[in-house]
Each structure stands twice: as C-alpha cells, then as structure tokens.
Amino acid sequence: MKKKFLSVLLAGVMVVAMLTGCGGKSPASNGNTTAETTDGTQTQTQDAATAENTGAGDGAATKTDVAQTDLAYKGELELMHFSTSEESEGNGGSDGFRTVLADWQTVHPDVKLVERVMANDDYKTQIATLAAADDLPDVFLLQGMNTKAWAAQGLILDMTDIISKSPYAAQYDDSTYYPFTSEDKIYGLPALTGGTCAVVLYDSAKWKEAGFDTFPETWDDVLKAKDYFADQGIDTIAFGNGSKWQINSTFLATIGDRFTGSDWTHSLIEKKGAAFTDQSFADALKFTKDIFASGIFNADFNAISNEDAREYYISGDAAAYIGGNWDVSYIQATLKDTDLYDTTKFAVLPQPAGATASYKTHATGLGYAVAINSDVADDPDKLAAAVDFAYEATGPAFANYVATKYALGGLTKVENVDLSGFDQFTQDFYNYQYVDNKPCEIYDSYISSAVWDVLNTDLQSMLNGELTPEKVVANAQKAYEDNY
Amino acid sequence: MAGKKTGRDTDSIIKTRILSLFMNFILLLFSLSCIFPLVWMFYSSLKEKRVFNADIMGLPKNPSFRNYIDILTNSDYHIFESVLNSFRTTVISVFLIVLFGFIIGYILARIKFPGNRLLYVIFLMGMLIPIHSLLVPIYVVFTRTGLGNQWFTLIMPYMAFGFPIAIFLVEGYVKGIPVALEEAAAIDGSSFSRTLFSIILPMCRPILTTVAIIQTFSCWNEFSFALVLIKDPRLQTVPLAMTQFTGQFSSDYTKIMAAMLITMAPIVIFYFVFSKQIIQGMVAGAVKG
Amino acid sequence: MLSSIRPKNRVIFAYLILPIVLYVFAVFIPLVTAGFYSLFEWKGGPNKTFIGFENYVTLMKDSVFWKSFSHNIYLVIACIIGQIGLAFIFVLMINSRLVKLKGIHRTFGFFPSTVSAVAIGFIWTMVFDYKRGILNWFLDLIGKHDAIKVWLNESGLVMLLISLPLIWQFIGYYMVIILSAISSVDKEIFEVAEIDGANGFQRAIYIVLPLIKNTLLVCVTLCVAGNMKAFDHIFVMTAGGPGNASMVMALYGYKISFAQQNMGYGSAISIGIFITSLLVIGGSQLLVKLLSKDKGGDN
C-alpha cells in the first residue's frame, strides 16, 4: 500500500522535474492584469476538458503547468469548494483555483472530478452539515477554525507526511500551516492566496486636499481629517459590519494585535493562559468602541455589508475604506481605467493611542486549506489522486498562475516575481501585502466558531453602544472556556 | 334614495363618497405596493450596477439585458436543468399533496376510528417543526437510507411538510359540508371510494385549489432541503442554482435581481395567466359548497 | 359519525398508510433524532458524549433563547393583527359595492405570497437602507431630515421593521382564505351595510365576523404556527442583529447548530421551539375558544 503510494509520488516528482527541465509551458508571462480575467474562458476550458477527454500526454489545453502524474485511480473524486465563476471574476485566488482544477481534470481524464460549487455562506452551512453527519466529500476546503474540532473527531486526514513528501515541499511557506495544525499534526495544504484581512484603501487625492500626503499613521490624525470630509459631505472611512464577522476579521484582529502583541494571541490559541478578559484585549475593544463612535465611519456601518460599504468608496462617497484582500480585488476590477484607480493607495490600519505591543501589523494568512476526508485513505489509489490534486491546487501550477497574473502569493513560494509588468495599483498592493508590513494572526482562523460567533454578535451590540467592553470580554471568555 | 334631497341624504351621500374614495385609495395603495417591487426589480435589472447604486429608483437610461444573458449563458448554473428539476418536483409534489391531503383530511373529518384525533394532532404538529435547525437530522435520515440525492428526493420532504396545512384546511372545509349528500350516495349503493372521488372531490375543489396554490409557491421557492439533500448539480432546483449569485465577495444587486426574476418567472407567468381562473374558480366553488 | 358511509377498516388503512409512513419518515424521525441528539454534547462529527438533560438546563437559563422567544411572540401578535386583521378589512372592502377594480386587488394582493422570502427580504432591505433606501428617500423628500435613521440598526425598532415585510407579504394569503369563506356569506349583508356608510361598515364586521369565525380560527392557527418558526425574512434582512435585537428561536437554533457547530445544543433548541410552539398554539386556541364563547353568550 505504502509502496504504491510512494511510486506514484516518485512518478509525480519525475514528471515535475521533466517539466521544469523543459521550461514547461510558462503561463501568460506578459504580465496582464485582472481586467482580462472576466472573459469567461476558464469555463470554456473546463467544458472542453470534460467533453473531449484529451489524453494525459496532450497538455495543449491546459493554462497552467499542472504536473502530468500517472494516477492508477479511475473513478469519481468528490470535490467541494466555493470558487464560483462569479467569484473568480476579479478574485485571483478563485480564478487560479478554478483554472488549476480544470487543467487537472484535463490531465487526468480517468478521474472524474465531481464538483460541488456554492457561494461561501452556503458552503459553510453545507460543510458543517456534512461534518456533523460524518459524510464529508473526498476533498474540500477546510477553514482554520474547524481544524482542531474536526481533527479530534477523526474526520480529516493527517497530512503531515503528505506535506513533507510533497514534490514541492522545498518551496512551501511553512508559516502558513499554523491555522491547520492540531497537536503538531497538519491537516491540510493551505489553499488559495494569502491575503491581508485588514487594509486601508484611500483616495490619495482627497487626502492631499485634506492636508495629508499619505494616510495618517495614527488614529488621532485620522480624527483631524473628519471635519474636512464632513464639510465635503462624504465619510472619512467606509466600513460594513452588517454580517458581524467584518469587525473581527478586518479590524479587531489587527487592532487587537497592536494592543496585545502576538504572544498573547498565540497563548490564547494554544491555551497557555491568555484570556479575553486580559486588560490589553479589553483596551483594544474600548478603543474599537470609541473610534466607531467618533463619527469617522459611515453612520450605517453596522447595518450594511462590506460589499455595500466598498461601493461608498468606489462612488466617491467615502475618502477611504477598510476591508480585506477580497475587497481590494473587487475594487481593482471595478475601478480600472478611472481616475480613482490611479489615486487609490494602500495603508496599514493607523496606530491607536496607547497601543504599544506592535506596529504596522496587518492580519494576514491563508484562511482555507485543501483537506482530505480520512475515509479516502482506505483506497490508496484514490488517496493518491486526492493528494495529487491537493499538491497541484496549491503547488507551482497555481502559484505561478496567480503570481504572474495577479501578483498574489499562496502556499508555494514563487521566487523573483517580476512586478514590472504590473500597473502601479497591483505593485502597491503586492508591496503592502508581502513586503512593507508585518503579518499578524487572523483571529477567526483559530480557536472555534462558537467563540467568534458569540464575540462578533456582542461586538455589534457594543458598537451600537449597548454593551460595555468589559461585558463583551467576559462573555467571550465564557464562550472560550465552554467551547475550546 | 335619489329622490328628495334633504340635508340628511346629502350628508350621507357625501359620507358614502368619502368612504368610497378612502376604500379605493387604501386598496389601490396596497395593490400597487404588492406589484411595484416586481416592476422595480425588472427595470432595475436592466440597469448597470453602478447606475443602480447611484440612483435606486430611477428608470434605466440605457436598458440592457446583459445581466440576463450573463446568467442564462453561464453553463455553471445549469439553469435549464434547474428549471426542469424545479418544475418536475413542484408538479409531482403538489399533485400528491393535494391528493393525499384531500383523502386524509376527509377521513379525519368524517370517519370515526380510534386515534382519529391523535392522528390529526400529529399531522398538525408538522406545522411547528423548525426545519432550519433540523437540517442535520433530516440529512442524516435521508443519507443513511440512501434516499438522498435522487431525482425524487425533494418530493418526499415537500410532501411531508405540505401535508399539515393541506390536511388542516381540508378537514375544516369538509366539516362545513352537509353530510346529506354522502348519506344519499351511500343509500344509492355508491362505494366509499366512489363517493370520495366523484362526489366529495368536486365539492372540495375550492379548498384544494387553495392548497395547490399555496404549495406550488412554497415548493418552487424552497431552499433549505434542496441545499442539504441535493449534491449533484444536475439535480439542483432553481433557488439553489441562484444562490451562486450571492457569493461572499460579490454583491451585484442588478444581477441578483435579474437572477431572482428568472427564478420567479415561470411561477409569476403561471400566476398572472391563470389568476382569474384560480380565484374565480375558488370563489364560485365555495358558494356551491 | 355516520355508520352508513363508514368504509371498512382496511380501506381506511390502505388510504392512510402511505402518507403516514412518509410523514413519519420525513418529519417525525428527524424530530425524534433531534430529541436524541439533544441529550449529547456534540460538536459535529462522529463522537458524542451523553450528558442527559444538561442541554435543557442550559436552555432554561439561556437569556438569548428566551429573548428570541419573546420576539417570536411579538411577531405572532403583530401578524395576527396586521395580517389577519388587515386581510379581513380588505376583504370587506373588496366585497363592497363602492370599490372598483376588485379583480386587480385580488390578483395583486396575493402576488407577494408567491415570492420567495429571499426576494422579499432583499426588497425590504432596500426600503430601509440608509443611503439608498426608499424610506429615507421619502423622508428627505418631505423634508423630515431629523427622522432619517439607519433603520435596521435601531435595536428598539428593528422588530417592528422586520414584521412589516412579513405582514405585507402574507396579507394576500389570508385574503384568499377569508375571501373563499366570505363568498359563501349572503351578498345582501354587504349591500345592506353599505347604504349606511361607515356605520354600516362597522356593522358588517359584527355580522360577518361570527359567520366566518371558524375560518378566522384557521387563520390564527396558521399565523401562530408560521411565526413561531419564523426564519427566512429575518435571516436575509438582519441575521438577528444588531446584536441579538431581532433574533428569533429558529434563527438562534440555526446559528448554534451551524455557525457555532454545537449540534447537541442546537438540537435541544429545536425541541425547545417545538414545545414552546405547541404551548403557544394550545394557549391561543383556548383563548379564541373562550372569547368566542363569550360572544356566543351575548347572542
């Protein structure tokens, strides 16, 4: 069993070596940007792939250099994910995932990928139902915060060895494993693209008029700009917390880090004594409450989604916007060829007064990993197919595609990304995400969904002035002790 | 009334006029509010996203069917298969709900047997079951028995959850029908089944129409069962296909509206084409009953 | 009841067996399964720990659950008054000789109940939206700038605001039911009533109300049953927010089961909804019976 598995692996390595030796088929190296991704050609490729069943040797139809591994498995492989074609328009990670997926199917016509694609919200409900019923699909995307619970239930395959034996192991960014680790075992290959969860996009032209050459580095300075923008009839910063997770993911994870530092976060994750009720975290909440009460945000921030809030920025009704990388890709695709596109710049969240634990950090990482149902291990051939898919969906084929097309990075590192072909917007965002700033943990990639659900609900009330920070941290701590 | 014009008569005519004006105005307002969203969604769906965000009420300046074309030509959504699936599931479910709802409702209303009331109460309890928080057990039950993810899968819960209201309405209705007819039929030697279908059924037409209408719309629009019980995209129903538009990272309102209208189209057309017959038939039948 | 029309037992059995089996399979087994799960500490997956009635003890003390329960009661009352009350008045109006376009009112009035809750929720979110909403647009138009609010973020108002779409959507539904009942009432009643104007209208209510008492009872039952498990509109419009200000029981159970993946406790909540709904329905039936008895005594 193990022998066969190894030989498949070996074959995989050889094929990859051959491909890289020949130079492979380097995907679109002319540095085109996202504007060209909305033409729907990915779907066509996929149709062609399934319809023609082109042989494994004929890789002409693939867009990426997916390894042409020999797989013994013939049959269906279930795959569930949330990269809908809607989402892949403008979202580089989704586009890359779909493209590699289609190519992998082309290269492996004997394995029939049975896909279930749904919007992210439905995906979360559905995958929770399937996990509860012990009926997870063969391959799926695992969210960081479910790792510990599902690993304890034996639902997901321990992939520690699979990762170390990966043909691409040398290129992997080890720091991405942390959310998918439970008791020193890794349960998934971090997927899609690593991206910031907290970035300020601002219109540098408007801020210049307000007297700021760059975005203020402290919140106190941001407050000084408030009256100016109010006179212009626009909001200083647009934010949307209607679905309750936004304040946690795109604001508090970063602001919290500024107050508590990363040791506190790690201690909380590893249950080494830190508590939500610690003064530093309570201070972060108090700051959050005050800054949202200060009037620099749009009045309806608690009622609208981030999708609505970013439209305020796009339409010029707000001078800045706080969101995550998914918002950036949308704004980029939307603003292309406008003046605002050229004047839009990026900044880390400003420093709160009294926060000294860290500086210039932004919550970032890979939120999902390709995981394999532990039952798949019963069929070594099928497992080999699933593992091969996991390698390719996160390996160089994917990484090169998103690096050259979108200047994004994933699990597999791409050396010497040539930024010169990209426009200023893309270059700036690349530097923001991967070069200029320090990473910190995304809270809701860890711990447990129960804790975040309680905290996020309370945060929304707190921002409405109906709960005190003390009460919020007490409730969160109770949920933490009960559920984690 | 029209003869002499005493002060009192004029007074009452004015009163009647005011009342008439008031009633017509209120009803018109209500009716317009019911239909306006459809109109608004339609003309908004012809707008560009950005135009819509700038002015949500205005008419489109450059109406375009781009949103519809985008949706209908995207093979990922399996749109035509979905319409077919929804159609098949709805038609079969509604037919069986009406048929069994009629039979059970009648039996529970007319025939004494031990456990009659208990059965009635048990069926009625079905109305109280919060399906959204029961998705896991429902999924488990269907999957363990191998009845999940088939073309007929959704018909079963739709029927089962459609029974309570159907039985409730039919039972109440049958109780209002005088028993004399059935007695006469029985004396003439008509069998139970014959009486049931040739005498009672036509009399129950109005209430069965009501049941059919209600169930048609709820089956067509049902989402939660479809989400958890159907795995194969080729078996999905329209609401399921449409959720792909409201993905986490994109919210294009005009496109969402186009998608909603496509979901609604068959049923809306059905409703407006037959509404007169539906409502008239119901009212006429009720008078006879 | 009538021996002459009573069929043989096996005939009854043959007619009933299939639907009963299906009903038990799709409705009761899941409910019983939920009852079983509710006795476990179960965070999803194959491993469960038996904890007896501990989840129910938690439930009794869970302030969010009881807050949600009170919201459901609010919805029940709002919808009985709003849906059935308005539907009844509208039906009386439609039957009035003074009203034109009767067919249009019937057809249009029922239309919203044919639309999925997702679309309804979407439309009403647009009504209440802060910057682009129809309500604020209107307030702006008539110069009431002070009244402009982030409507769905007002904890004190949000229950009222989310009950509006519910009421609006289903008025037509109850109109159809009441209409079919009232059409068997003698037309002359309305004609007599109209001549006297408003007073007659009031009288019509008093005359017609007792005649369709049973139908109204049906409507009340449907209304209570529907609103005790309300979910869709609120899920779309506020997801229970801000905070838990518009949380209802079914949404809370869903959140616990899926967002928090606490399937054991979520199952206990489902059972809790079921039991409280039974009690409320029983209570409302009793209430209606008591009230109608009083009325009967007067006549």
Side-chain angles (χ1 to χ4, degrees):
Chain A
M1 184 168 143
K2 195 146 199 179
K3 220 173 176 183
K4 195 160 195 179
F5 175 52
L6 274 177
S7 68
V8 170
L9 264 184
L10 213 63
V13 175
M14 276 162 62
V15 171
V16 172
M18 264 167 61
L19 272 178
T20 37
C22 303
K25 299 169 293 298
S26 79
S29 52
N30 49 356
N32 41 3
T33 46
T34 52
E36 288 170 40
T37 63
T38 52
D39 57 6
T41 41
Q42 311 96 340
T43 348
Q44 282 170 16
T45 324
Q46 203 173 355
D47 290 345
T50 37
E52 292 167 22
N53 271 353
T54 42
D58 176 21
T62 63
K63 285 185 149 193
T64 61
D65 40 5
V66 167
Q68 308 201 340
T69 333
D70 283 325
L71 295 173
Y73 181 70
K74 288 183 181 15
E76 295 190 338
L77 187 68
E78 294 168 346
L79 167 69
M80 208 164 122
H81 65 93
F82 50 83
S83 291
T84 61
S85 66
E86 286 290 306
E87 192 175 321
S88 69
E89 289 180 17
N91 186 326
S94 292
D95 179 25
F97 190 81
R98 284 179 74 87
T99 309
V100 171
L101 196 155
D103 288 352
W104 193 86
Q105 179 67 85
T106 310
V107 173
H108 302 288
D110 292 337
V111 182
K112 188 174 180 321
L113 272 182
V114 180
E115 269 184 89
R116 283 191 81 190
V117 197
M118 58 197 82
N120 189 282
D121 279 353
D122 297 327
Y123 178 84
K124 286 177 190 160
T125 304
Q126 185 68 15
I127 208 83
T129 312
L130 296 171
D134 191 10
D135 194 24
L136 285 166
D138 299 330
V139 181
F140 62 98
L141 291 169
L142 170 72
Q143 212 180 351
M145 64 177 161
N146 290 326
T147 308
K148 282 195 181 358
W150 293 1
Q153 296 274 358
L155 292 171
I156 43 181
L157 190 72
D158 170 10
M159 294 174 75
T160 318
D161 288 347
I162 291 170
I163 289 170
S164 60
K165 284 172 190 152
S166 165
Y168 316 122
Q171 294 155 265
Y172 286 167
D173 176 1
D174 299 344
S175 68
T176 57
Y177 301 146
Y178 191 44
F180 312 102
T181 308
S182 177
E183 294 173 358
D184 296 329
K185 290 174 189 147
I186 309 167
Y187 288 88
L189 279 158
L192 304 172
T193 52
T196 184
C197 283
V199 55
V200 183
L201 286 98
Y202 67 101
D203 180 354
S204 56
K206 286 202 186 82
W207 284 84
K208 203 172 186 91
E209 285 164 26
F212 295 90
D213 286 339
T214 56
F215 197 76
E217 294 196 349
T218 66
W219 286 100
D220 291 338
D221 284 345
V222 176
L223 284 166
K224 286 175 194 154
K226 187 185 98 174
D227 289 340
Y228 172 80
F229 288 121
D231 288 343
Q232 308 277 309
I234 62 175
D235 291 313
T236 311
I237 303 175
F239 192 77
N241 186 41
S243 323
K244 301 177 187 156
W245 58 265
Q246 292 99 338
I247 189 70
N248 187 335
S249 294
T250 62
F251 194 86
L252 187 61
T254 303
I255 293 298
D257 184 70
R258 304 283 178 81
F259 279 92
T260 65
S262 59
D263 290 346
W264 179 87
T265 318
H266 291 148
S267 166
L268 194 73
I269 294 164
E270 287 155 23
K271 290 200 263 193
K272 288 183 177 156
F276 282 102
T277 45
D278 291 343
Q279 190 56 45
S280 56
F281 186 72
D283 287 344
L285 284 198
K286 186 172 179 322
F287 167 77
T288 304
K289 182 176 192 275
D290 292 343
I291 199 73
F292 273 88
S294 72
I296 56 171
F297 292 95
N298 45 308
D300 53 350
F301 68 85
N302 241 349
I304 60 167
S305 65
N306 55 309
E307 289 99 343
D308 293 321
R310 68 194 179 197
E311 295 291 347
Y312 292 174
Y313 178 75
I314 290 168
S315 61
D317 290 332
Y321 171 75
I322 293 177
N325 67 77
W326 50 89
D327 295 313
V328 174
S329 54
Y330 176 86
I331 289 171
Q332 180 172 22
T334 312
L335 285 182
K336 195 88 179 127
D337 300 325
T338 64
D339 291 343
L340 187 53
Y341 187 81
D342 298 329
T343 54
T344 295
K345 301 287 170 199
F346 306 95
V348 279
L349 295 192
Q351 193 71 1
T356 51
S358 68
Y359 185 62
K360 277 203 163 190
T361 52
H362 66 125
T364 183
L366 282 80
Y368 288 87
V370 177
I372 298 175
N373 184 335
S374 52
D375 294 342
V376 175
D378 298 342
D379 179 348
D381 287 348
K382 190 174 182 180
L383 179 64
V387 167
D388 185 70
F389 175 79
Y391 286 160
E392 296 309 319
T394 59
F398 173 80
N400 287 327
Y401 182 84
V402 294
T404 50
K405 200 165 176 184
Y406 297 97
L408 292 170
L411 166 67
T412 305
K413 288 180 279 196
V414 177
E415 299 297 328
N416 304 323
V417 177
D418 178 19
L419 287 177
S420 60
F422 290 102
D423 60 16
Q424 196 61 41
F425 189 105
T426 312
Q427 290 191 26
D428 287 350
F429 191 49
Y430 181 89
N431 287 326
Y432 173 87
Q433 290 205 101
Y434 306 123
V435 182
D436 294 343
N437 302 299
K438 283 168 276 183
C440 66
E441 303 298 349
I442 306 164
Y443 286 164
D444 55 11
S445 282
Y446 304 94
I447 306 188
S448 121
S449 50
V451 176
W452 301 124
D453 193 50
V454 170
L455 179 67
N456 295 353
T457 304
D458 282 354
L459 284 175
Q460 200 181 36
S461 298
M462 182 187 85
L463 297 183
N464 274 348
E466 286 156 10
L467 276 179
T468 62
E470 291 73 29
K471 183 78 184 142
V472 175
V473 291
N475 288 347
Q477 182 61 21
K478 186 176 179 307
Y480 174 75
E481 283 159 15
D482 288 351
N483 291 291
Y484 188 60
Chain B
M1 196 169 78
K4 289 169 283 177
K5 276 203 173 182
T6 66
R8 201 167 165 269
D9 274 349
T10 327
D11 209 37
S12 110
I13 288 171
I14 290 171
K15 256 189 183 169
T16 311
R17 286 243 170 96
I18 292 173
L19 181 72
S20 157
L21 213 67
F22 172 76
M23 289 201 297
N24 277 302
F25 176 71
I26 293 287
L27 282 177
L28 216 60
L29 203 69
F30 172 68
S31 290
L32 286 180
S33 85
C34 290
I35 207 70
F36 177 70
L38 186 71
V39 178
W40 174 71
M41 278 171 78
F42 178 70
Y43 75 66
S44 298
S45 70
L46 305 179
K47 286 184 185 175
E48 264 241 289
K49 168 170 65 184
R50 211 129 321 281
V51 178
F52 174 78
N53 282 333
D55 173 16
I56 65 161
M57 297 300 286
L59 290 166
K61 291 200 179 65
N62 305 303
S64 134
F65 283 91
R66 209 198 137 74
N67 285 325
Y68 291 87
I69 295 165
D70 280 356
I71 296 164
L72 293 172
T73 53
N74 192 327
S75 60
D76 267 21
Y77 301 127
H78 301 269
I79 206 93
F80 294 105
E81 281 164 301
S82 306
V83 171
L84 215 67
N85 289 330
S86 277
F87 184 75
R88 183 183 52 217
T89 308
T90 304
V91 168
I92 300 177
S93 305
V94 170
F95 174 75
L96 293 173
I97 290 170
V98 169
L99 179 70
F100 285 118
F102 165 66
I103 295 172
I104 302 169
Y106 176 77
I107 290 178
L108 290 177
R110 280 288 200 257
I111 294 163
K112 250 191 186 161
F113 59 90
N116 176 311
R117 284 300 91 184
L118 180 71
L119 197 59
Y120 178 68
V121 169
I122 287 177
F123 269 121
L124 247 53
M125 280 179 179
M127 284 201 278
L128 301 175
I129 290 177
I131 59 154
H132 296 98
S133 39
L134 279 190
L135 292 177
V136 171
I138 286 168
Y139 176 81
V140 171
V141 168
F142 275 81
T143 318
R144 294 285 145 83
T145 49
L147 292 171
N149 201 30
Q150 311 278 348
W151 69 268
F152 55 82
T153 297
L154 290 175
I155 295 172
M156 295 188 283
Y158 291 0
M159 277 174 73
F161 281 89
F163 283 159
I165 189 164
I167 292 168
F168 181 64
L169 291 177
V170 171
E171 201 258 5
Y173 191 83
V174 169
K175 277 194 165 161
I177 302 176
V179 279
L181 268 173
E182 291 141 85
E183 286 178 308
I187 290 162
D188 287 348
S190 167
S191 75
F192 172 75
S193 301
R194 217 182 128 202
T195 313
L196 185 65
F197 289 108
S198 65
I199 295 174
I200 311 294
L201 187 65
M203 290 173 71
C204 286
R205 217 180 71 196
I207 201 70
L208 295 181
T209 315
T210 311
V211 171
I213 296 170
I214 294 167
Q215 293 303 331
T216 304
F217 299 119
S218 70
C219 289
W220 185 271
N221 292 321
E222 203 284 330
F223 173 68
S224 304
F225 285 121
L227 175 66
V228 297
L229 295 181
I230 295 298
K231 277 187 184 175
D232 189 339
R234 282 160 305 182
L235 294 175
Q236 73 188 1
T237 52
V238 182
L240 204 55
M242 287 303 160
T243 55
Q244 298 189 359
F245 287 91
T246 47
Q248 192 182 16
F249 304 145
S250 59
S251 116
D252 180 344
Y253 289 146
T254 59
K255 209 164 180 179
I256 289 173
M257 285 190 264
M260 282 178 182
L261 287 172
I262 293 173
T263 332
M264 286 155 56
I267 212 90
V268 168
I269 293 168
F270 165 81
Y271 178 70
F272 281 111
V273 168
F274 293 106
S275 68
K276 219 168 189 171
Q277 284 88 332
I278 290 171
I279 290 171
Q280 270 180 359
M282 223 155 69
V283 172
V287 175
K288 265 184 241 152
Chain C
M1 200 177 282
L2 288 156
S3 52
S4 55
I5 59 161
R6 197 184 189 289
K8 292 191 182 72
N9 276 333
R10 63 185 157 83
V11 177
I12 304 176
F13 182 78
Y15 273 125
L16 291 182
I17 185 67
L18 197 69
I20 289 179
V21 166
L22 178 70
Y23 183 75
V24 167
F25 173 76
V27 176
F28 257 77
I29 292 182
L31 188 68
V32 171
T33 315
F36 174 73
Y37 289 159
S38 72
L39 305 177
F40 291 84
E41 154 127 37
W42 180 33
K43 299 275 158 82
N47 308 335
K48 307 182 189 70
T49 324
F50 183 79
I51 52 166
F53 287 92
E54 205 177 291
N55 280 328
Y56 290 96
V57 176
T58 315
L59 189 67
M60 295 304 285
K61 291 187 287 195
D62 186 341
S63 62
V64 181
F65 177 77
W66 291 109
K67 189 179 181 182
S68 310
F69 173 75
S70 73
H71 290 157
N72 281 96
I73 298 293
Y74 179 97
L75 284 181
V76 166
I77 295 170
C79 289
I80 287 180
I81 298 170
Q83 291 173 345
I84 304 176
L86 284 180
F88 179 68
I89 292 171
F90 285 176
V91 167
L92 286 186
M93 286 184 177
I94 286 182
N95 272 303
S96 157
R97 199 165 43 88
L98 300 172
V99 166
K100 311 263 183 297
L101 305 169
K102 293 173 202 281
I104 298 258
H105 294 319
R106 284 178 204 156
T107 309
F108 284 10
F110 186 71
F111 176 69
S113 15
T114 69
V115 179
S116 72
V118 178
I120 298 286
F122 173 80
I123 291 164
W124 281 82
T125 311
M126 288 320 244
V127 172
F128 295 132
D129 193 83
Y130 177 66
K131 288 202 176 172
R132 302 164 299 179
I134 298 169
L135 183 55
N136 282 345
W137 172 80
F138 181 72
L139 288 172
D140 190 52
L141 200 71
I142 60 170
K144 295 238 175 206
H145 300 282
D146 301 345
I148 289 176
K149 283 193 174 70
V150 184
W151 293 102
L152 292 178
N153 195 35
E154 294 282 323
S155 299
L157 282 175
V158 69
M159 281 309 296
L160 177 70
L161 297 178
I162 56 170
S163 53
L164 288 179
L166 267 170
I167 292 172
W168 170 79
Q169 182 178 13
F170 291 111
I171 286 180
Y173 180 94
Y174 291 103
M175 267 168 71
V176 166
I177 296 179
I178 296 173
L179 203 67
S180 71
I182 231 165
S183 59
S184 57
V185 174
D186 203 328
K187 283 271 184 293
E188 277 175 30
I189 290 172
F190 299 103
E191 275 154 27
V192 168
E194 271 159 20
I195 295 169
D196 285 22
N199 292 336
F201 193 69
Q202 273 178 8
R203 210 172 304 156
I205 295 181
Y206 284 111
I207 298 167
V208 176
L209 206 55
L211 290 173
I212 60 162
K213 198 182 70 196
N214 284 334
T215 306
L216 290 182
L217 200 63
V218 169
C219 293
V220 169
T221 313
L222 290 177
C223 202
V224 176
N227 285 305
M228 289 308 282
K229 55 174 191 183
F231 180 94
D232 297 351
H233 298 76
I234 302 167
F235 182 71
V236 176
M237 293 181 69
T238 63
N244 287 319
S246 60
M247 189 59 73
V248 286
M249 293 189 291
L251 188 53
Y252 187 55
Y254 176 86
K255 239 171 73 113
I256 294 285
S257 299
F258 293 101
Q260 303 197 10
Q261 289 180 28
N262 196 342
M263 305 288 173
Y265 188 47
S267 298
I269 293 175
S270 308
I271 301 296
I273 299 171
F274 185 67
I275 292 171
T276 49
S277 307
L278 274 184
L279 292 176
V280 171
I281 273 221
S284 71
Q285 300 281 43
L286 216 67
L287 202 71
V288 171
K289 263 184 196 144
L290 276 175
L291 286 175
S292 58
K293 227 172 221 164
D294 282 353
K295 279 260 166 66
D298 288 344
N299 290 346

